[in-house]
């Protein structure tokens, strides 16, 4: 018998050995879900795929594209979506593993249109997922769906500190019933699933609880709107695009309309994934926070009510168990595409409405917007955008609708009543309202083109069509009701504005250094008849204020890089050139923007230069500015991480030290030092006399300062260079007191003026601004390094109107001056008892601008503030000397050397004689009372609306110098300070610890949100 047969026989006799069991699978680290068993994802068809991005050609591209090589691509024949690789970049959602870019599938020859920001889980009102692994689970090669999974651990979203904000605005008695500061025993995996032929990515977040105790929290998402895309919620209060006046709204779904692309979001019931949830949605500062299944405002309030029997949106994860949360992220041509897809997915009755939009001349109207409004409800249900051939389509439930096409700059036609029946398709032809084109050519007296701001005014009162009327079609900032349009002349001095037909007045301006046009500016504009034809006007502006050797800058500006601003960067460049600002500084929230390429592309290099900065934005203990900086000095071109990575948030001393180490030569500026939600002096409870702070570092998720004492938590640091005293068109009196206290204490900081604008029109950029003495004034001669050096040396003045300078000379006891003068930031040495000081204040303004006083300030007592409470007292007794004027009779002089007419300016030169006996400082201030012309139409401080009528908030111009310092002890420096070091602040009253819980009223919550939304400016 052969050996092999013998072996087989032997095995047969003794029996087969037991099968060897395969080893258990290695733990995946994920919160596991068997996707195939859920029945949530289409498994038929091919074409969906998932992969790691390996080359830049695989990225999506677009106005706000953030993708990088190493991110993860999901795509099929209809859409492309990027999921970010594990990372940390400080921002509203700092971690990776999230959707960041999305677009339709386009031909290779067509550029991408991504405008989306970020979609990230947010639960417990401030916790998220620190994704450590992102992986392709199904690449689609087997057919059916493709899957990318992002897994990580529970982490605090250190950009958001909701409890501290609530306590600051509503008091310590208002507390959440869940604390975002308490770590949760969660491992979280989000499965991003794209099926063949679908336009949605289904995001299923699985939460695994490793604890033996159950956890009840709330669950939702935080959506960073991203680029210049427009928010729409069909159940929101706007009843159109945007969030004007809306706070917490219910939402079954909501979306964003962009340029050639739209996005939609819908969450599903925690207990029934086939049922869409009714969510409570808060859109604030460019972020949309979703309390999934939270219902509405009253549902949100239950989360601060410890006695509530039930809380909409409760998300319970059982002990050692798991729970899932499902939502859909849609990509479409327009919002109508998204809403149509929802009807199809729900198998809801619907019928196709085909639309054709034409111009008044009967030609197709591409990219026209069509609002579809329920005839009975009056609520807008969706928005369609026409293709290149002027057509659009939308699926609608059978009902009666009012349908209209519209665009800003056009008259509005009456909506067309349309009945969508249950059988057969419906079609309609719409005509856009008429429009006229106003062209304005702007030049200087020598014939050189100028960028400028052009305003079209309705002379008879509110315009027939106002900005509010266009909100069915576009997300539009509020404009005063008498302003039909605002436009900006480009580098060639040409502005083109579409407006509805009518009779108008036109005014042209270029900031506070230039004349206005026409000669009757600002009381009356140039009449223009646009009733039946287009028109062209030629305007000439002259620089009448002499700022030779000085360059102006707005040191606090936001655009599309900030979550709370959707102003395109190109528009931002145009608007600042139009206001005559010399240096545009990018200071987006925790985002590094470089305007230089756009300045060049727009042909503005002869009129404007730029500098890179960044606003370091701790959520609740003070915003700090850094400039000039470079993208190359931070990882991935991101911003400085003030939250300390995964450790404690940095204290101010650590932030300042970190900024100086990261960006050599940087200027550090303390922004808007007062107020909750961004004011360091208020939030840290600082005594300005000593710099002692009294706030608890744990409140801000900070580690205690090892140098802290029983009377000083040492959270404040004076290691900054500049201090924002004018945030907007007027200086804060409380912050002026703080700054002057610091001057007298020896903490000499450069005062700055900024606009802090997040808008194009409603808060005008460049008011205030800071002029810095550089010795040059041509954009081509500007260097960031020279600017930083001069600013740190306090060679700066600031204002929203007049240009004011201050100089000092020695004078004998008879008042006769001698010797060279010194300017702002410099020191004059004198012999006390033998010499006095002659101070000269020089004020220039355009002829139409008015003011009524020039005031001189120096050290005095009473400016100190304690415990973070602002000291806003500004009595006349603190004015050292003052000169007053009749605003309508200010002296006017002719500006020499300018051809083309007689150009004039207001010019006031005042001399003050002072007799200092010790080291001190002097500051000059120009003020305008109610008897002076308001800044409007040059600038205003926000727009407030009531009953559909919007008005500009009128304010008067104001200007301020940095100090001239006096050395009176022979040291050669200002170094013996009026407020001696070592002073002791009064002991602050202890804050009550056991404050009874209370439930705020809905109006209290709304008031808090309004203050946060408007950034301190008046707004609708």
């Amino acid at each position: 018998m052969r050996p092999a047969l013998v072996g087989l026989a032997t095995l047969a006799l003794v029996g087969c050995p037991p099968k060897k069991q395969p080893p258990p699978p290695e733990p995946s680290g994920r919160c596991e879900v068997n996707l195939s068993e859920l029945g949530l994802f289409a498994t038929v068809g091919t074409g969906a795929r998932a992969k790691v991005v390996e080359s830049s050609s695989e990225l999506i591209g677009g106005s706000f594209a953030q993708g990088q090589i190493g991110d993860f691509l999901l795509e099929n024949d209809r859409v492309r979506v990027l999921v970010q690789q594990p990372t940390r970049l400080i921002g509203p959602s700092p971690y990776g593993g999230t959707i960041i870019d999305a677009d339709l599938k386009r031909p290779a020859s067509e550029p991408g249109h991504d405008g989306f920001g970020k979609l990230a889980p947010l639960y417990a009102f401030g916790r998220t997922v620190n994704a450590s692994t992102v992986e392709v689970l199904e690449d689609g090669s087997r057919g059916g769906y493709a899957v990318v999974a992002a897994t990580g651990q529970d982490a605090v979203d250190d950009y958001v500190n909701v409890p501290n904000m609530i306590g600051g605005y509503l008091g310590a008695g208002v507390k959440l019933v869940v604390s975002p500061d308490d770590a949760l025993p969660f491992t979280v995996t989000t499965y991003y699933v794209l099926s063949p032929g679908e336009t949605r990515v289904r995001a299923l977040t699985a939460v695994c609880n490793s604890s033996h105790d159950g956890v009840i929290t709330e669950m939702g998402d935080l959506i960073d709107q991203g680029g210049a895309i427009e928010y729409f919620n069909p159940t929101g209060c706007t009843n159109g695009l945007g969030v004007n006046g809306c706070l917490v709204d219910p939402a079954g779904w909501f979306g964003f309309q962009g340029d050639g692309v739209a996005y939609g979001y819908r969450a599903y019931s925690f207990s029934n994934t086939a049922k869409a949830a009714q969510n409570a949605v808060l859109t604030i500062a460019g972020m949309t926070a979703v309390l999934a299944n939270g219902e509405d405002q009253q549902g949100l309030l239950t989360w601060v009510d410890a006695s509530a029997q039930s809380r909409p949106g409760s998300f319970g994860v059982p002990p050692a168990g798991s729970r899932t949360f499902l939502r859909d992220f849609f990509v479409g041509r327009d919002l109508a595409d998204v809403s149509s897809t929802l009807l199809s997915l729900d198998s809801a009755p619907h019928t196709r409405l085909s639309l054709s939009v034409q111009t008044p001349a009967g030609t197709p109207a591409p990219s026209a917007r069509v609002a579809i409004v329920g005839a009975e409800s009056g609520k807008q249900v969706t928005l369609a955008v026409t293709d290149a051939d002027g057509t659009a389509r939308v699926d609608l439930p059978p009902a009666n609708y009012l349908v209209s096409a519209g665009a800003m700059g056009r008259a509005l036609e009456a909506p067309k009543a349309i009945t969508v029946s249950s059988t057969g398709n419906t079609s309609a032809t719409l005509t856009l309202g008429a429009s006229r084109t106003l062209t304005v050519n702007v030049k200087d007296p020598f014939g050189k083109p100028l960028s400028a701001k052009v305003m079209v005014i309705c002379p008879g009162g509110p315009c027939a069509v106002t900005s509010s009327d266009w909100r069915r079609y576009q997300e539009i900032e509020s404009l005063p009701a008498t302003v039909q349009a605002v436009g900006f002349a480009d580098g060639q001095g040409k502005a083109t504005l579409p407006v509805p037909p009518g009779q108008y007045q036109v005014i042209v301006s270029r900031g506070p250094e230039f004349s206005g046009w026409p000669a009757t500016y600002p009381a009356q504009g140039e009449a223009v008849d646009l009733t039946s034809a287009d028109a062209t006007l030629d305007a000439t502006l002259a620089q009448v204020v002499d700022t030779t050797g000085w360059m102006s800058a707005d040191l606090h500006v936001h655009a599309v890089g900030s979550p709370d601003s959707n102003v395109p960067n190109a528009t931002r460049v145009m608007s600042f050139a139009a206001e005559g600002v010399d240096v545009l500084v990018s200071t987006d929230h925790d985002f590094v923007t470089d305007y230089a390429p756009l300045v060049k592309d727009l042909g503005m290099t002869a009129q404007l230069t730029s500098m890179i900065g960044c606003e370091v934005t701790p959520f609740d203990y003070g915003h700090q500015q850094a400039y000039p900086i470079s993208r190359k000095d931070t990882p991935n071109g991101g911003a400085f991480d003030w939250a300390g990575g995964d450790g404690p948030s940095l204290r101010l001393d650590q932030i300042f030290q970190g900024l100086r180490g990261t960006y050599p030569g940087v200027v550090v500026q303390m922004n808007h030092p007062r107020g909750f939600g961004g004011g360091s002096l208020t939030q840290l409870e600082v005594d300005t006399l000593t710099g002692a702070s009294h706030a608890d570092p744990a409140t801000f998720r900070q580690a205690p300062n090892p140098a802290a004492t029983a009377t000083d938590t040492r959270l404040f640091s004076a290691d900054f260079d500049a201090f924002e005293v004018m945030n907007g068109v007027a200086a804060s009196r409380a912050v002026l007191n703080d700054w002057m206290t610091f001057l007298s204490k020896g903490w000499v900081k450069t005062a700055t003026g900024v606009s802090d604008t997040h808008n194009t029109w409603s808060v005008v950029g460049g008011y205030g601004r800071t002029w810095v003495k550089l010795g040059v004034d041509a954009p081509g001669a500007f260097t960031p390094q020279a600017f930083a050096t001069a600013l740190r040396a306090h060679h700066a003045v600031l204002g929203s109107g007049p240009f004011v300078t201050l100089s000092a000379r020695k004078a004998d006891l008879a008042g006769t001056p001698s010797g060279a003068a010194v300017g702002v930031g410099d020191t004059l040495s004198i012999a006390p008892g033998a010499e006095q000081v002659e101070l000269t204040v020089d004020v220039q303004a355009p002829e139409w601008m008015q003011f009524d006083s020039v005031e001189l300030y120096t050290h005095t007592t009473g400016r100190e503030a304690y415990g973070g409470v602002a000291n806003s007292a500004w009595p006349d007794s603190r004015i050292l000397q003052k000169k007053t004027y009749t605003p309508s009779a200010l002296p006017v002089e002719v500006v020499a050397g300018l051809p083309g007419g007689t150009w004039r300016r207001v010019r006031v030169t005042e001399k003050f004689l002072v007799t200092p006996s010790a080291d001190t400082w002097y500051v000059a201030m120009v003020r305008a009372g109610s008897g002076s012309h308001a800044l409007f139409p040059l600038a205003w401080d926000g727009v407030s609306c009531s009953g559909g009528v919007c008005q500009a908030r009128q304010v008067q111009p104001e200007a301020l110098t940095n100090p001239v310092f006096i050395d009176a002890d022979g040291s050669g420096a200002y170094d013996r300070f009026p407020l001696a070091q070592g002073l002791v602040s009064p002991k602050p009253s202890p804050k009550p610890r056991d404050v009874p819980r209370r439930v705020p009223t809905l109006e209290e919550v709304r008031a808090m949100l309004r203050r946060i939304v408007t950034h301190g400016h008046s707004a609708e």
Side-chain angles (χ1 to χ4, degrees):
M1 187 179 287
R2 293 179 181 177
L5 294 176
V6 172
L8 287 172
T10 304
L11 283 174
L13 291 172
V14 300
C16 293
K19 257 188 166 180
K20 187 175 181 181
Q21 295 296 319
E26 290 292 326
S28 68
R30 296 188 291 271
C31 183
E32 290 285 6
V33 174
N34 190 328
L35 300 179
S36 63
E37 292 182 349
L38 297 177
L40 295 174
F41 315 109
T43 58
V44 297
T46 60
R49 71 166 182 156
K51 71 179 301 291
V52 178
V53 173
E54 298 173 310
S55 71
S56 58
S57 63
E58 295 175 317
L59 297 173
I60 291 175
S63 63
F64 202 72
Q66 305 167 76
Q68 298 183 5
I69 293 172
D71 291 334
F72 291 75
L73 174 67
L74 280 165
E75 68 173 349
N76 59 18
D77 62 327
R78 302 187 68 183
V79 299
R80 306 180 76 227
V81 174
L82 280 186
V83 176
Q84 192 175 39
Q85 61 193 294
T87 190
R88 178 183 168 90
L89 291 172
I90 188 63
S93 297
Y95 298 109
T98 61
I99 292 175
I100 54 168
D101 290 349
D103 193 12
L104 299 170
K105 186 71 174 284
R106 300 182 187 276
S109 59
E110 185 178 346
H113 283 242
D114 168 70
F116 189 70
K118 202 167 191 177
L119 167 64
L122 187 76
Y123 52 88
F125 294 99
R127 300 198 71 80
T128 189
V129 184
N130 180 357
S132 55
T133 303
V134 180
E135 56 192 325
V136 174
L137 294 189
E138 293 285 350
D139 65 4
S141 60
R142 299 186 300 174
Y145 53 77
V147 183
V148 170
T151 301
Q153 303 300 310
D154 165 76
V156 67
D157 184 338
D158 36 26
Y159 204 85
V160 179
N161 194 339
V162 176
N164 207 10
M165 291 295 289
I166 289 175
Y169 283 105
L170 300 178
V174 180
K175 299 177 182 178
L176 292 164
V177 297
V178 295
S179 173
D181 292 330
D182 295 339
L184 294 174
F186 289 169
T187 296
V188 183
T189 299
T190 297
Y191 299 88
Y192 299 100
V193 185
L194 178 64
S195 295
E198 292 197 351
T199 59
R200 63 175 174 173
V201 172
R202 309 211 81 183
L204 181 73
T205 295
V207 181
C208 284
N209 178 9
S210 62
S211 169
H212 295 296
D213 299 316
V215 176
I216 297 177
T217 185
E218 60 84 28
M219 176 61 71
D221 285 296
L222 186 64
I223 300 173
D224 179 349
Q225 181 167 317
I229 58 178
E230 303 161 69
Y231 176 83
F232 174 72
N233 177 3
T235 54
C237 84
T238 299
N239 199 17
L241 274 71
V243 290
N244 287 276
C246 297
L247 298 172
V248 178
D249 278 330
W253 75 277
F254 58 86
F256 304 92
Q257 181 65 58
D259 177 17
V261 66
Y263 308 105
Y265 173 98
R266 182 166 75 169
Y268 294 85
S269 167
F270 298 147
S271 58
N272 180 4
T273 53
K275 179 182 178 183
Q278 180 80 341
N279 310 300
V281 174
L282 170 65
T283 296
I284 183 170
M287 307 299 302
T288 298
V290 179
L291 172 59
N293 295 253
E295 297 181 357
D296 53 22
Q297 298 178 86
Q298 294 295 342
L300 177 63
L301 275 181
T302 63
W303 290 90
V304 291
D305 184 357
S307 64
Q309 298 299 305
S310 64
R311 295 188 179 89
S314 291
F315 185 81
V317 189
S322 64
R323 190 83 184 274
T324 60
F325 167 45
L326 177 69
R327 60 275 200 219
D328 288 339
F329 175 75
F330 297 89
V331 184
R333 301 182 314 275
D334 52 19
L335 289 167
D337 196 5
V338 174
S339 62
S340 299
T341 301
L342 289 169
L343 290 171
S344 178
L345 290 171
D346 295 343
S347 299
H350 59 273
T351 303
R352 172 65 52 89
L353 171 62
S354 298
L355 297 163
S356 177
V357 182
Q358 60 188 20
T359 68
T363 59
S367 302
R369 294 192 170 192
V370 181
I372 295 97
V373 176
E376 281 75 33
S377 68
K379 295 289 288 186
Q380 184 168 347
V381 296
T382 195
L383 177 85
V385 182
T386 59
D387 292 336
D389 60 357
T391 62
R393 53 214 171 270
V394 59
D395 293 336
L396 296 167
N400 297 318
Y401 296 94
L402 298 174
V403 183
S404 60
M408 194 169 184
R410 289 186 173 274
L412 294 180
E413 297 293 315
K416 181 173 287 190
I418 294 174
T419 298
V420 174
S421 65
S422 58
T423 59
N425 293 339
T426 305
S427 62
T429 298
L430 305 172
T431 301
L432 284 171
S435 180
R436 301 286 178 258
T437 299
L438 171 69
T439 302
V440 180
N441 298 305
V442 188
K443 61 183 180 179
D444 70 10
F446 300 95
K448 293 174 59 177
L450 276 181
S451 54
K453 178 169 66 182
V454 178
M455 294 180 65
V456 181
I457 307 295
C458 299
C463 300
V465 182
T466 68
S467 58
S468 300
D469 297 321
W470 281 310
R471 287 208 178 110
R472 294 221 189 259
Y473 315 101
Q474 293 175 254
E475 183 175 354
I476 295 174
E477 294 175 28
S478 295
L479 275 172
T482 56
V483 177
Q484 185 66 81
V486 181
F488 308 118
D490 59 18
Q492 301 304 309
K494 183 176 182 179
T496 304
L497 290 79
V499 294
Q503 300 274 355
Y504 297 104
Q505 291 183 0
V506 178
I507 56 177
V508 184
S509 62
R510 198 175 189 267
E513 298 178 30
F514 283 75
S515 62
W517 183 90
T520 52
Y521 178 95
Q524 186 175 350
E526 182 79 1
V528 58
D529 185 356
L530 292 168
T531 304
S532 57
D534 300 341
T536 298
L537 299 173
D538 296 317
T540 302
L541 300 176
Q543 182 168 358
V544 294
V545 173
D546 184 3
T547 57
T548 303
W550 297 75
M551 294 187 76
S552 64
D554 189 337
L555 301 171
H556 193 165
V557 179
H558 297 276
V560 74
S562 294
D564 51 357
S565 174
N566 67 353
V567 179
N569 287 337
T571 302
R572 182 56 80 213
V573 171
M574 293 279 288
S575 68
F576 269 73
E579 297 297 347
V581 175
D582 299 316
V583 186
L584 172 57
V585 185
S586 61
T587 61
D588 286 317
H589 294 293
D590 300 307
F591 191 91
V592 181
T593 300
D594 184 2
Y595 288 120
L598 272 174
V599 173
K600 182 179 179 180
D601 291 347
L602 293 168
M604 294 289 189
T605 54
Q607 305 188 49
L608 179 74
T609 188
S610 65
M611 185 166 63
I612 302 176
C614 182
E615 186 173 18
V616 180
T617 316
F619 191 74
D620 56 349
Y621 58 93
H623 297 179
Q624 319 300 325
Q625 203 101 282
Y627 53 83
I629 67 171
S630 170
R631 277 178 165 166
K632 66 180 178 61
D633 292 326
T634 48
N636 301 319
F640 177 83
D641 191 348
W642 54 264
D646 297 327
S649 295
L650 303 183
R651 301 183 304 271
L652 289 195
D653 61 313
Q654 297 169 318
I655 291 175
F656 297 155
Q657 182 181 5
L659 287 171
R660 297 189 191 285
T662 303
Y663 308 109
V666 72
V667 172
V668 178
Q669 174 176 295
M670 180 170 285
N671 286 354
H672 40 68
R674 286 292 172 188
F676 290 102
S680 291
L681 299 183
T682 299
Q683 295 286 153
L684 300 179
E685 301 176 21
V686 175
D687 299 338
T688 57
L689 182 67
T690 63
S693 64
H694 305 288
D696 182 353
T699 304
F700 312 107
R701 301 168 178 154
Q702 298 172 337
N705 191 327
T709 67
T711 57
D712 185 359
T713 55
R714 298 289 174 94
L715 301 186
F716 179 72
S717 169
D719 185 25
F720 56 93
D721 306 297
F723 196 62
E724 197 178 85
V725 305
M726 177 180 281
N727 183 287
V729 291
S732 161
R733 299 305 183 252
V735 177
L736 283 175
N737 277 332
D738 298 330
W739 174 59
M740 291 180 177
T741 299
F742 290 164
L743 291 178
S744 295
K745 182 178 169 54
W747 290 347
V748 179
K749 312 300 176 186
T750 303
T752 59
V754 308
S755 68
D756 191 12
T757 183
H758 294 67
N759 311 94
T760 304
W761 305 308
S762 54
V763 175
V764 185
Y767 303 89
R769 67 184 67 185
T770 304
W771 286 268
V772 179
K773 190 172 185 179
L774 299 175
V776 298
D777 44 41
F782 172 85
T783 67
Q785 296 75 19
F787 184 93
T789 298
L791 194 73
R792 279 195 296 269
H794 325 300
H795 296 159
V797 299
L798 53 143
S800 60
F803 175 68
V804 56
T805 59
L806 173 67
S807 61
R809 296 174 67 191
K810 293 181 182 179
D812 61 23
L813 295 181
T816 303
S818 63
V822 303
V824 291
D826 294 331
T827 302
L828 180 70
S829 296
I830 65 165
E835 293 177 318
Q836 300 181 91
V837 175
E838 181 189 74
L839 297 168
T840 301
V841 181
D842 185 83
V843 187
Q844 300 178 65
E847 183 178 7
W848 66 269
M849 188 177 288
Q850 297 180 349
F851 51 89
D852 58 19
S853 68
V854 171
E855 300 166 353
L856 192 66
Y857 293 85
T858 190
H859 165 73
T860 187
T861 58
R863 296 190 174 115
E864 303 85 359
Y866 302 101
V869 179
N871 178 0
S872 300
W874 197 257
D876 287 347
S877 59
R878 293 197 197 136
I879 303 172
L880 180 65
Q881 295 186 43
K882 180 177 181 177
K883 298 290 178 68
T884 59
Y885 314 93
T886 301
S888 59
L890 288 166
V892 175
E893 67 180 18
V894 174
V895 182
L898 295 179
T902 302
W903 307 98
R904 291 180 293 270
R905 66 181 168 223
V906 171
R907 185 72 177 267
V908 169
T909 302
E910 295 291 355
K911 296 185 182 299
F912 299 91
L913 195 64
V914 294
T915 310
S917 59
D919 284 12
T920 192
W921 52 266
Y922 294 98
V923 163
M925 188 173 183
V926 180
R927 289 207 280 171
S930 58
S932 302
H933 282 316
L935 270 176
F936 185 85
L938 189 70
W940 52 91
D941 187 23
V943 177
S944 59
C945 303
S946 177
V949 177
C950 300
Q951 293 183 321
R953 182 182 174 189
Q954 302 290 347
V955 285
Q956 273 68 37
E958 191 168 277
L960 180 73
T961 73
N962 271 279
V964 166
F965 300 101
I966 303 300
D967 160 41
D969 63 2
S971 70
Y974 169 65
D975 53 10
R976 297 194 65 178
F977 310 121
L979 286 175
Q981 302 288 348
L983 295 175
V984 178
S985 301
K987 188 174 182 181
S989 302
K991 288 193 172 183
R993 295 181 178 273
D994 299 320
V995 178
R997 272 186 178 271
R998 72 178 186 90
V999 179
T1001 66
L1002 193 57
E1003 185 48 46
E1004 283 182 295
V1005 174
R1006 291 176 64 84
M1008 174 186 75
L1009 296 176
R1010 284 191 206 100
R1011 289 176 64 187
I1012 298 170
V1013 166
T1014 60
H1015 304 283
H1017 298 289
S1018 179
E1020 183 179 3

